[in-house]
Amino acid sequence: MAVLTLPVILTSMDITILHVAIPTISRELAPSSSQMLWILDVYGFLLAGLLILMGNIGNRIGRRRILMIGGVVYVAAAMLTAFAPNPEVLIAGRALMGLGGATLIPSTLSLVRNMFPDSAERTHAIGIWTASTSGGIALGPIVGGLLLEAFWWGSVFLIHAPIIVLFLIATPLLVPEYKNRASARLDLFSVGLSFAAILPSVWAIKTAAEELAMTLQTWAALGVGLLAGAIFLFRQGRISQPLVDVSLFANPRFTGAVLGAGLAMFGLVGVMFYFAQYLQLVAGLSPLIAGVAILPIVVGVGSMAVLSSLLVRRFGYPRVFGAGAAVAAAGILVFSRTPADGGLVLAIIASAFIGAGIAPMATLTTDIVVGTAPPRRSGAAAALEETAAEFGSALGIAVLGTIGTVVYRSRILDGVPDDIPEEATEALSSNLGAALGVAEQLSGDAAEHLTALAQQSFVDGLGAATIVGSCILLVAAVICPILIHRGRNTTQSVMNPDEKRQRRDECSSPHKLPVCPPCGFPGE
């Protein structure tokens, strides 16, 4: 279990580790606003798009073997990214890291499911696994801050090498191998449709944000993405060996959990995208101190991920999940009111509530998904849940980042002085880091005015984006518990009699509640 947490921490940490390095990368590589969003997002989208595919390959060739292959690809991609000379190479390196990460995450969760057949042990193991995922996301900026204090920005990727080497040595010695020799043949057409649905849609969103308008090309790309997505879903329901087992969504409990996984990570990663920049570029903290300021999120995520399994035994899944989403939404709403001047304490307190609320959502969704699906479909269920979480992470940056960019660009372009050259104006409107770089070249009142304008424009964008994120989590606080509650008595409906008997026998709960939370069967 300790070995399996290593790649989980690394891959989840990479979702946010770049956030603390954004100012340095903006200064040294000078990416455009669109390139910056792709640098942050391409990892998550490749990760989400390939999770199900790599999960199927792992079932066929062996989950431990695909772990080893993924580790090699991951460390090679991290080396390329660390020494990227321009934004284009950095984007390519992040994409390859997403490919490697996609082989690691589904295999670790599938191995946990196989290694712990007892439901009580499996619940605790999944709690540890989820805490590693959420903790890695929260630790990313902290580790990045420590490294940037002493080294160049590429060190945030180079640090992966020794950890992956340790993982490659320990895995053959300590992790057992599992494979399903009867795995279905891969539907490559469905794989292509999935990418045709995701990438054009995201390109359209990011391009519209950079140009502050929807052009014919962006509308066409968005149309292609939506059409490919519709064809993909239609095909999955018609073929005998689908890439995505859409029949699992017939259970409202499963649907609510998967939806909750995506929305939880949408809120967490979207907010941390702004939080890391606020700490450095607005509050003026160094990367190291900014990393320390993010510790409340780590504490909130880690403590509540462990306590969630205890709370759910007393209050049930729907109540704990709904309460967590509501607390996170409240924390994000408070964060949206953070001012440009003197808002550091408010931002840190809000982040603690956000982490404490997101952790139960992330922990319980994984437990519900793995526990709801019958054993023969647990791999497909885990892949769907992880795909939703990773896609939610990437979409959080894409959507909330786009909203913030639109507001930032409109505010700063309205207030920029007339005597600023056109080239400098373009740099000002790209991102806050570039704007502060332009301000440093000025002197006196002009520099102070431009710095204050850029920081206030960023905070205005932060407020607009995080209000949307808060509303999304409030929707999750209402809809997901209803779905989980409605589906709690349908857990057994997808099982045959032997699977029902196995699930009931494996559960070690005393079954004192009307419906047992771990297994979903009537209590005694």
Side-chain angles (χ1 to χ4, degrees):
M1 190 67 200
V3 173
L4 292 179
T5 60
L6 288 177
V8 174
I9 292 172
L10 283 180
T11 52
S12 57
M13 190 171 66
D14 267 331
I15 297 173
T16 56
I17 197 169
L18 257 186
H19 293 173
V20 76
I22 288 174
T24 306
I25 292 174
S26 297
R27 183 171 59 252
E28 296 191 9
L29 297 186
S32 66
S33 59
S34 178
Q35 286 176 327
M36 180 57 74
L37 287 178
W38 275 114
I39 289 169
L40 290 165
D41 250 359
V42 70
Y43 173 83
F45 279 116
L46 265 293
L47 194 63
L50 290 169
L51 275 173
I52 295 176
L53 173 64
M54 293 303 174
N56 278 276
I57 294 176
N59 287 339
R60 181 181 296 273
I61 70 172
R63 292 161 187 170
R64 187 180 69 182
R65 181 178 297 177
I66 199 71
L67 269 178
M68 301 287 289
I69 295 173
V72 173
V73 173
Y74 196 80
V75 72
M79 297 287 287
L80 172 65
T81 306
F83 296 99
N86 54 55
E88 291 80 10
V89 175
L90 181 56
I91 292 171
R94 291 284 287 170
L96 288 176
M97 290 182 72
L99 171 63
T103 67
L104 298 173
I105 291 180
S107 298
T108 56
L109 190 55
S110 295
L111 284 166
V112 168
R113 176 64 180 83
N114 289 116
M115 289 165 57
F116 298 96
D118 177 78
S119 62
E121 289 187 352
R122 185 174 63 245
T123 298
H124 291 303
I126 290 173
I128 295 172
W129 187 94
T130 306
S132 300
T133 304
S134 304
I137 290 173
L139 281 171
I142 298 175
V143 175
L146 289 170
L147 292 171
L148 289 172
E149 196 72 14
F151 306 104
W152 91 113
W153 64 264
S155 62
V156 301
F157 303 108
L158 206 60
I159 190 63
H160 294 76
I163 300 175
I164 289 293
V165 170
L166 175 63
F167 168 77
L168 293 175
I169 294 172
T171 297
L173 301 175
L174 299 175
V175 178
E177 177 67 288
Y178 293 97
K179 67 174 65 177
N180 181 6
R181 300 185 184 279
S183 295
R185 184 176 181 180
L186 291 177
D187 181 18
L188 296 180
F189 184 56
S190 294
V191 174
L193 284 173
S194 66
F195 279 101
I198 295 173
L199 296 181
S201 302
V202 176
W203 179 86
I205 293 173
K206 295 178 184 296
T207 303
E210 186 174 26
E211 299 179 358
L212 295 179
M214 287 290 290
T215 63
L216 180 62
Q217 290 83 357
T218 54
W219 280 116
L222 186 61
V224 168
L226 294 176
L227 179 61
I231 296 174
F232 174 81
L233 293 176
F234 179 82
R235 180 174 176 81
Q236 301 314 295
R238 297 297 186 275
I239 59 178
S240 59
Q241 298 177 343
L243 185 66
V244 174
D245 190 353
V246 294
S247 66
L248 289 168
F249 291 98
N251 187 345
R253 184 182 180 88
F254 179 86
T255 302
V258 171
L259 179 64
L263 295 181
M265 301 313 297
F266 179 97
L268 177 63
V269 178
V271 168
M272 291 195 68
F273 167 69
Y274 287 102
F275 188 46
Q277 293 184 78
Y278 178 87
L279 293 175
Q280 293 185 71
L281 300 180
V282 179
L285 302 182
S286 68
L288 178 59
I289 302 302
V292 174
I294 296 175
L295 278 175
I297 294 184
V298 180
V299 174
V301 169
S303 60
M304 290 306 300
V306 175
L307 290 175
S308 294
S309 61
L310 301 177
L311 292 174
V312 79
R313 291 182 179 275
R314 180 174 178 83
F315 300 106
Y317 284 102
R319 291 180 181 177
V320 177
F321 188 97
V327 169
I332 294 175
L333 187 61
V334 171
F335 181 63
S336 71
R337 309 306 301 167
T338 303
D341 186 21
L344 179 60
V345 174
L346 180 65
I348 292 175
I349 293 174
S351 71
F353 280 94
I354 295 169
I358 291 293
M361 297 176 68
T363 303
L364 299 184
T365 52
T366 305
D367 198 14
I368 292 171
V369 164
V370 176
T372 297
R376 61 189 171 87
R377 290 197 275 178
S378 63
L384 280 173
E385 189 267 337
E386 275 305 301
T387 299
E390 298 299 340
F391 189 69
S393 300
L395 203 61
I397 294 177
V399 174
L400 299 186
T402 296
I403 293 172
T405 298
V406 169
V407 174
Y408 169 80
R409 285 172 63 88
S410 63
R411 294 284 194 276
I412 200 167
L413 289 176
D414 288 343
V416 67
D418 295 333
D419 57 348
I420 297 293
E422 183 177 350
E423 296 80 5
T425 301
E426 182 63 28
L428 287 172
S429 63
S430 61
N431 56 69
L432 177 58
L436 295 180
V438 173
E440 289 176 356
Q441 300 175 12
L442 304 177
S443 60
D445 294 340
E448 293 181 5
H449 171 73
L450 193 56
T451 298
L453 172 64
Q455 290 176 338
Q456 186 60 53
S457 299
F458 173 82
V459 170
D460 290 343
L462 177 155
T466 49
I467 285 176
V468 173
S470 178
C471 292
I472 292 293
L473 283 181
L474 283 176
V475 171
V478 175
I479 294 179
C480 294
I482 292 175
L483 292 172
I484 293 170
H485 178 79
R486 286 182 56 196
R488 63 180 181 176
N489 290 322
T490 64
T491 304
Q492 313 97 299
S493 63
V494 294
M495 302 182 192
N496 60 42
D498 291 337
E499 289 171 335
K500 290 181 181 181
R501 195 177 304 111
Q502 179 184 0
R503 173 64 59 80
R504 181 64 174 79
D505 292 343
E506 285 178 353
C507 184
S508 61
S509 171
H511 289 78
K512 298 299 183 184
L513 297 176
V515 176
C516 175
C519 69
F521 281 80
E524 299 172 352

